[in-house]
Structures are given as structure tokens and as C-alpha cells.
Amino acid sequence: AIFRNGNRVSLSSDIPGSPLALIGPLFNMEAAMTMQDPTNPESKVFPSGREGINLEQAIKSVTAFPAWQLRMEDKIGTLEVGKYADIVVLQQSLFDVSRRDIADVRVLATMMHGKFTHRDGI
């Protein structure tokens, strides 16, 4: 209902209160999409009867919406000419994996301001 009403929602984690394995954007996206614990294949939907968000909403919730909330949408959040080249290269397209596998997709590289900050296999 929140997204249908046009609200902009950001997904994030409680840092430093959460364990490192539970703070990544892909983990948060899977949890918001499935309403289940990504670390537990047997977890039940919580809260019961609720539907998660879709992949497009999840992606915007870790990119464009946080940029807007920080009032930095002119610099970050989407890929456009004139913005910082902040990107993530994933091993698989999130559109090609099941919702329950989003958190397991490997990050191959990250770039900030057009420079690699992480490389794993690239």
C-alpha cells in the first residue's frame, strides 16, 4: 500500500547493530520482497498475510529513493549523464533469479565516482 500511494521508501540496515552478513542491500531487497528471512529457507512470511514489494520497487528502494531522501538525486541514485558513476556489477541479473535467491547473488564489482572500489573476478 505504501508504494501504491506514491511514497518513497528506503531499505537499509541497523549498522553497527546488525551482523555484517545481514546489512547488504541485496539481503534487504530479498527480505522486503519475500517478507521472509533470507538466511532461513524454512522461515514463514512475517507478518502473516502480507505481500512483499516487487523487484522494481526494491531496486528503487536502495538507489533512487535514498538519493532523493538525502536530497542528492541530482548526483546519485540513477545512471544519468552528469551524475557520479556509482554502480554495482552483479554475477547475475536480479530479473533472472528467484526472489528467494536475491541475497545470494554475488557482487563482482563496485564503482564510486567512476573508480573501482571492489573487484572480485573482473
Side-chain angles (χ1 to χ4, degrees):
I2 292 173
F3 284 96
R4 284 193 303 271
N5 292 331
N7 295 298
R8 299 174 185 181
V9 177
S10 293
L11 297 175
S12 65
S13 297
D14 184 15
I15 301 170
S18 297
L20 286 178
L22 308 181
I23 63 170
L26 295 175
F27 181 91
N28 290 324
M29 289 170 60
E30 181 178 321
M33 292 171 64
T34 64
M35 305 299 285
Q36 294 173 281
D37 177 357
T39 65
N40 180 0
E42 304 301 320
S43 68
K44 305 243 186 278
V45 172
F46 182 82
S48 176
R50 285 275 183 89
E51 267 190 44
I53 62 177
N54 65 41
L55 181 57
E56 180 182 343
Q57 293 165 330
I59 291 170
K60 287 180 180 179
S61 293
V62 296
T63 58
F65 294 162
W68 175 80
Q69 289 168 338
L70 292 169
R71 297 183 181 170
M72 292 184 67
E73 69 274 18
D74 59 327
K75 294 179 179 73
I76 61 173
T78 57
L79 293 175
E80 298 176 50
V81 173
K83 290 188 175 185
Y84 299 142
D86 296 348
I87 63 170
V88 175
V89 179
L90 303 174
Q91 183 178 29
Q92 296 170 271
S93 168
L94 299 181
F95 293 94
D96 295 336
V97 298
S98 91
R99 298 173 87 142
R100 287 292 285 170
D101 294 327
I102 296 282
D104 297 325
V105 173
R106 198 169 118 220
V107 175
L108 298 179
T110 57
M111 294 180 78
M112 289 183 67
H113 301 267
K115 295 186 173 144
F116 282 100
T117 54
H118 168 76
R119 285 188 193 194
D120 183 13
I122 290 187

mmCIF file with all atom_site columns, all heavy atoms in Angstrom, residues 56-69:
data_model
loop_
_atom_site.group_PDB
_atom_site.id
_atom_site.type_symbol
_atom_site.label_atom_id
_atom_site.label_alt_id
_atom_site.label_comp_id
_atom_site.label_asym_id
_atom_site.label_entity_id
_atom_site.label_seq_id
_atom_site.pdbx_PDB_ins_code
_atom_site.Cartn_x
_atom_site.Cartn_y
_atom_site.Cartn_z
_atom_site.occupancy
_atom_site.B_iso_or_equiv
_atom_site.pdbx_formal_charge
_atom_site.auth_seq_id
_atom_site.auth_comp_id
_atom_site.auth_asym_id
_atom_site.auth_atom_id
_atom_site.pdbx_PDB_model_num
ATOM 1   N N   . GLU A 1 56 ? 11.212 -4.107 -8.977  1.00 0.00 ? 56 GLU A N   1
ATOM 2   C CA  . GLU A 1 56 ? 11.413 -2.696 -9.355  1.00 0.00 ? 56 GLU A CA  1
ATOM 3   C C   . GLU A 1 56 ? 11.365 -1.789 -8.128  1.00 0.00 ? 56 GLU A C   1
ATOM 4   O O   . GLU A 1 56 ? 12.196 -0.901 -7.964  1.00 0.00 ? 56 GLU A O   1
ATOM 5   C CB  . GLU A 1 56 ? 10.361 -2.263 -10.379 1.00 0.00 ? 56 GLU A CB  1
ATOM 6   C CG  . GLU A 1 56 ? 10.527 -0.826 -10.810 1.00 0.00 ? 56 GLU A CG  1
ATOM 7   C CD  . GLU A 1 56 ? 9.451  -0.361 -11.790 1.00 0.00 ? 56 GLU A CD  1
ATOM 8   O OE1 . GLU A 1 56 ? 8.759  -1.205 -12.391 1.00 0.00 ? 56 GLU A OE1 1
ATOM 9   O OE2 . GLU A 1 56 ? 9.303  0.857  -11.939 1.00 0.00 ? 56 GLU A OE2 1
ATOM 10  N N   . GLN A 1 57 ? 10.400 -2.016 -7.251  1.00 0.00 ? 57 GLN A N   1
ATOM 11  C CA  . GLN A 1 57 ? 10.298 -1.226 -6.022  1.00 0.00 ? 57 GLN A CA  1
ATOM 12  C C   . GLN A 1 57 ? 11.520 -1.448 -5.136  1.00 0.00 ? 57 GLN A C   1
ATOM 13  O O   . GLN A 1 57 ? 12.044 -0.496 -4.538  1.00 0.00 ? 57 GLN A O   1
ATOM 14  C CB  . GLN A 1 57 ? 9.026  -1.599 -5.261  1.00 0.00 ? 57 GLN A CB  1
ATOM 15  C CG  . GLN A 1 57 ? 7.762  -1.195 -5.977  1.00 0.00 ? 57 GLN A CG  1
ATOM 16  C CD  . GLN A 1 57 ? 6.520  -1.869 -5.410  1.00 0.00 ? 57 GLN A CD  1
ATOM 17  O OE1 . GLN A 1 57 ? 6.585  -2.982 -4.891  1.00 0.00 ? 57 GLN A OE1 1
ATOM 18  N NE2 . GLN A 1 57 ? 5.384  -1.200 -5.527  1.00 0.00 ? 57 GLN A NE2 1
ATOM 19  N N   . ALA A 1 58 ? 11.991 -2.688 -5.055  1.00 0.00 ? 58 ALA A N   1
ATOM 20  C CA  . ALA A 1 58 ? 13.161 -2.999 -4.228  1.00 0.00 ? 58 ALA A CA  1
ATOM 21  C C   . ALA A 1 58 ? 14.403 -2.291 -4.751  1.00 0.00 ? 58 ALA A C   1
ATOM 22  O O   . ALA A 1 58 ? 15.183 -1.735 -3.976  1.00 0.00 ? 58 ALA A O   1
ATOM 23  C CB  . ALA A 1 58 ? 13.379 -4.509 -4.174  1.00 0.00 ? 58 ALA A CB  1
ATOM 24  N N   . ILE A 1 59 ? 14.591 -2.302 -6.068  1.00 0.00 ? 59 ILE A N   1
ATOM 25  C CA  . ILE A 1 59 ? 15.751 -1.629 -6.651  1.00 0.00 ? 59 ILE A CA  1
ATOM 26  C C   . ILE A 1 59 ? 15.700 -0.134 -6.372  1.00 0.00 ? 59 ILE A C   1
ATOM 27  O O   . ILE A 1 59 ? 16.693 0.465  -5.947  1.00 0.00 ? 59 ILE A O   1
ATOM 28  C CB  . ILE A 1 59 ? 15.853 -1.918 -8.163  1.00 0.00 ? 59 ILE A CB  1
ATOM 29  C CG1 . ILE A 1 59 ? 16.213 -3.390 -8.392  1.00 0.00 ? 59 ILE A CG1 1
ATOM 30  C CG2 . ILE A 1 59 ? 16.870 -1.001 -8.836  1.00 0.00 ? 59 ILE A CG2 1
ATOM 31  C CD1 . ILE A 1 59 ? 16.107 -3.846 -9.831  1.00 0.00 ? 59 ILE A CD1 1
ATOM 32  N N   . LYS A 1 60 ? 14.548 0.479  -6.573  1.00 0.00 ? 60 LYS A N   1
ATOM 33  C CA  . LYS A 1 60 ? 14.419 1.914  -6.296  1.00 0.00 ? 60 LYS A CA  1
ATOM 34  C C   . LYS A 1 60 ? 14.626 2.214  -4.813  1.00 0.00 ? 60 LYS A C   1
ATOM 35  O O   . LYS A 1 60 ? 15.109 3.291  -4.453  1.00 0.00 ? 60 LYS A O   1
ATOM 36  C CB  . LYS A 1 60 ? 13.047 2.419  -6.738  1.00 0.00 ? 60 LYS A CB  1
ATOM 37  C CG  . LYS A 1 60 ? 12.905 2.520  -8.237  1.00 0.00 ? 60 LYS A CG  1
ATOM 38  C CD  . LYS A 1 60 ? 11.530 3.032  -8.620  1.00 0.00 ? 60 LYS A CD  1
ATOM 39  C CE  . LYS A 1 60 ? 11.398 3.143  -10.130 1.00 0.00 ? 60 LYS A CE  1
ATOM 40  N NZ  . LYS A 1 60 ? 10.061 3.620  -10.513 1.00 0.00 ? 60 LYS A NZ  1
ATOM 41  N N   . SER A 1 61 ? 14.304 1.249  -3.955  1.00 0.00 ? 61 SER A N   1
ATOM 42  C CA  . SER A 1 61 ? 14.433 1.446  -2.510  1.00 0.00 ? 61 SER A CA  1
ATOM 43  C C   . SER A 1 61 ? 15.874 1.423  -2.018  1.00 0.00 ? 61 SER A C   1
ATOM 44  O O   . SER A 1 61 ? 16.139 1.787  -0.876  1.00 0.00 ? 61 SER A O   1
ATOM 45  C CB  . SER A 1 61 ? 13.624 0.382  -1.754  1.00 0.00 ? 61 SER A CB  1
ATOM 46  O OG  . SER A 1 61 ? 12.251 0.586  -1.990  1.00 0.00 ? 61 SER A OG  1
ATOM 47  N N   . VAL A 1 62 ? 16.798 0.976  -2.872  1.00 0.00 ? 62 VAL A N   1
ATOM 48  C CA  . VAL A 1 62 ? 18.214 1.007  -2.491  1.00 0.00 ? 62 VAL A CA  1
ATOM 49  C C   . VAL A 1 62 ? 19.025 1.923  -3.412  1.00 0.00 ? 62 VAL A C   1
ATOM 50  O O   . VAL A 1 62 ? 20.244 2.000  -3.291  1.00 0.00 ? 62 VAL A O   1
ATOM 51  C CB  . VAL A 1 62 ? 18.852 -0.411 -2.453  1.00 0.00 ? 62 VAL A CB  1
ATOM 52  C CG1 . VAL A 1 62 ? 18.192 -1.262 -1.389  1.00 0.00 ? 62 VAL A CG1 1
ATOM 53  C CG2 . VAL A 1 62 ? 18.821 -1.087 -3.801  1.00 0.00 ? 62 VAL A CG2 1
ATOM 54  N N   . THR A 1 63 ? 18.342 2.628  -4.313  1.00 0.00 ? 63 THR A N   1
ATOM 55  C CA  . THR A 1 63 ? 19.051 3.512  -5.252  1.00 0.00 ? 63 THR A CA  1
ATOM 56  C C   . THR A 1 63 ? 18.426 4.907  -5.280  1.00 0.00 ? 63 THR A C   1
ATOM 57  O O   . THR A 1 63 ? 18.872 5.814  -4.594  1.00 0.00 ? 63 THR A O   1
ATOM 58  C CB  . THR A 1 63 ? 19.072 2.895  -6.671  1.00 0.00 ? 63 THR A CB  1
ATOM 59  O OG1 . THR A 1 63 ? 17.717 2.674  -7.115  1.00 0.00 ? 63 THR A OG1 1
ATOM 60  C CG2 . THR A 1 63 ? 19.845 1.593  -6.722  1.00 0.00 ? 63 THR A CG2 1
ATOM 61  N N   . ALA A 1 64 ? 17.394 5.068  -6.072  1.00 0.00 ? 64 ALA A N   1
ATOM 62  C CA  . ALA A 1 64 ? 16.802 6.387  -6.310  1.00 0.00 ? 64 ALA A CA  1
ATOM 63  C C   . ALA A 1 64 ? 16.128 6.993  -5.077  1.00 0.00 ? 64 ALA A C   1
ATOM 64  O O   . ALA A 1 64 ? 16.260 8.195  -4.826  1.00 0.00 ? 64 ALA A O   1
ATOM 65  C CB  . ALA A 1 64 ? 15.801 6.306  -7.461  1.00 0.00 ? 64 ALA A CB  1
ATOM 66  N N   . PHE A 1 65 ? 15.397 6.189  -4.317  1.00 0.00 ? 65 PHE A N   1
ATOM 67  C CA  . PHE A 1 65 ? 14.675 6.745  -3.171  1.00 0.00 ? 65 PHE A CA  1
ATOM 68  C C   . PHE A 1 65 ? 15.605 7.248  -2.069  1.00 0.00 ? 65 PHE A C   1
ATOM 69  O O   . PHE A 1 65 ? 15.395 8.352  -1.541  1.00 0.00 ? 65 PHE A O   1
ATOM 70  C CB  . PHE A 1 65 ? 13.652 5.751  -2.626  1.00 0.00 ? 65 PHE A CB  1
ATOM 71  C CG  . PHE A 1 65 ? 12.524 5.444  -3.576  1.00 0.00 ? 65 PHE A CG  1
ATOM 72  C CD1 . PHE A 1 65 ? 11.743 4.324  -3.404  1.00 0.00 ? 65 PHE A CD1 1
ATOM 73  C CD2 . PHE A 1 65 ? 12.237 6.259  -4.661  1.00 0.00 ? 65 PHE A CD2 1
ATOM 74  C CE1 . PHE A 1 65 ? 10.697 4.023  -4.261  1.00 0.00 ? 65 PHE A CE1 1
ATOM 75  C CE2 . PHE A 1 65 ? 11.193 5.974  -5.539  1.00 0.00 ? 65 PHE A CE2 1
ATOM 76  C CZ  . PHE A 1 65 ? 10.420 4.850  -5.330  1.00 0.00 ? 65 PHE A CZ  1
ATOM 77  N N   . PRO A 1 66 ? 16.647 6.489  -1.685  1.00 0.00 ? 66 PRO A N   1
ATOM 78  C CA  . PRO A 1 66 ? 17.564 7.049  -0.687  1.00 0.00 ? 66 PRO A CA  1
ATOM 79  C C   . PRO A 1 66 ? 18.262 8.323  -1.186  1.00 0.00 ? 66 PRO A C   1
ATOM 80  O O   . PRO A 1 66 ? 18.470 9.254  -0.412  1.00 0.00 ? 66 PRO A O   1
ATOM 81  C CB  . PRO A 1 66 ? 18.581 5.929  -0.453  1.00 0.00 ? 66 PRO A CB  1
ATOM 82  C CG  . PRO A 1 66 ? 17.905 4.690  -0.890  1.00 0.00 ? 66 PRO A CG  1
ATOM 83  C CD  . PRO A 1 66 ? 16.971 5.095  -1.979  1.00 0.00 ? 66 PRO A CD  1
ATOM 84  N N   . ALA A 1 67 ? 18.596 8.367  -2.486  1.00 0.00 ? 67 ALA A N   1
ATOM 85  C CA  . ALA A 1 67 ? 19.219 9.577  -3.046  1.00 0.00 ? 67 ALA A CA  1
ATOM 86  C C   . ALA A 1 67 ? 18.277 10.769 -2.888  1.00 0.00 ? 67 ALA A C   1
ATOM 87  O O   . ALA A 1 67 ? 18.696 11.865 -2.505  1.00 0.00 ? 67 ALA A O   1
ATOM 88  C CB  . ALA A 1 67 ? 19.573 9.360  -4.515  1.00 0.00 ? 67 ALA A CB  1
ATOM 89  N N   . TRP A 1 68 ? 16.999 10.575 -3.173  1.00 0.00 ? 68 TRP A N   1
ATOM 90  C CA  . TRP A 1 68 ? 16.003 11.633 -3.029  1.00 0.00 ? 68 TRP A CA  1
ATOM 91  C C   . TRP A 1 68 ? 15.882 12.069 -1.565  1.00 0.00 ? 68 TRP A C   1
ATOM 92  O O   . TRP A 1 68 ? 15.830 13.264 -1.258  1.00 0.00 ? 68 TRP A O   1
ATOM 93  C CB  . TRP A 1 68 ? 14.656 11.145 -3.562  1.00 0.00 ? 68 TRP A CB  1
ATOM 94  C CG  . TRP A 1 68 ? 13.547 12.118 -3.362  1.00 0.00 ? 68 TRP A CG  1
ATOM 95  C CD1 . TRP A 1 68 ? 13.264 13.214 -4.119  1.00 0.00 ? 68 TRP A CD1 1
ATOM 96  C CD2 . TRP A 1 68 ? 12.570 12.093 -2.316  1.00 0.00 ? 68 TRP A CD2 1
ATOM 97  N NE1 . TRP A 1 68 ? 12.169 13.880 -3.613  1.00 0.00 ? 68 TRP A NE1 1
ATOM 98  C CE2 . TRP A 1 68 ? 11.721 13.203 -2.503  1.00 0.00 ? 68 TRP A CE2 1
ATOM 99  C CE3 . TRP A 1 68 ? 12.320 11.242 -1.251  1.00 0.00 ? 68 TRP A CE3 1
ATOM 100 C CZ2 . TRP A 1 68 ? 10.653 13.471 -1.661  1.00 0.00 ? 68 TRP A CZ2 1
ATOM 101 C CZ3 . TRP A 1 68 ? 11.253 11.515 -0.405  1.00 0.00 ? 68 TRP A CZ3 1
ATOM 102 C CH2 . TRP A 1 68 ? 10.436 12.622 -0.624  1.00 0.00 ? 68 TRP A CH2 1
ATOM 103 N N   . GLN A 1 69 ? 15.860 11.084 -0.648  1.00 0.00 ? 69 GLN A N   1
ATOM 104 C CA  . GLN A 1 69 ? 15.717 11.414 0.767   1.00 0.00 ? 69 GLN A CA  1
ATOM 105 C C   . GLN A 1 69 ? 16.928 12.184 1.298   1.00 0.00 ? 69 GLN A C   1
ATOM 106 O O   . GLN A 1 69 ? 16.799 12.998 2.208   1.00 0.00 ? 69 GLN A O   1
ATOM 107 C CB  . GLN A 1 69 ? 15.480 10.142 1.581   1.00 0.00 ? 69 GLN A CB  1
ATOM 108 C CG  . GLN A 1 69 ? 14.095 9.581  1.310   1.00 0.00 ? 69 GLN A CG  1
ATOM 109 C CD  . GLN A 1 69 ? 13.892 8.186  1.858   1.00 0.00 ? 69 GLN A CD  1
ATOM 110 O OE1 . GLN A 1 69 ? 14.839 7.448  2.091   1.00 0.00 ? 69 GLN A OE1 1
ATOM 111 N NE2 . GLN A 1 69 ? 12.634 7.821  2.061   1.00 0.00 ? 69 GLN A NE2 1
#
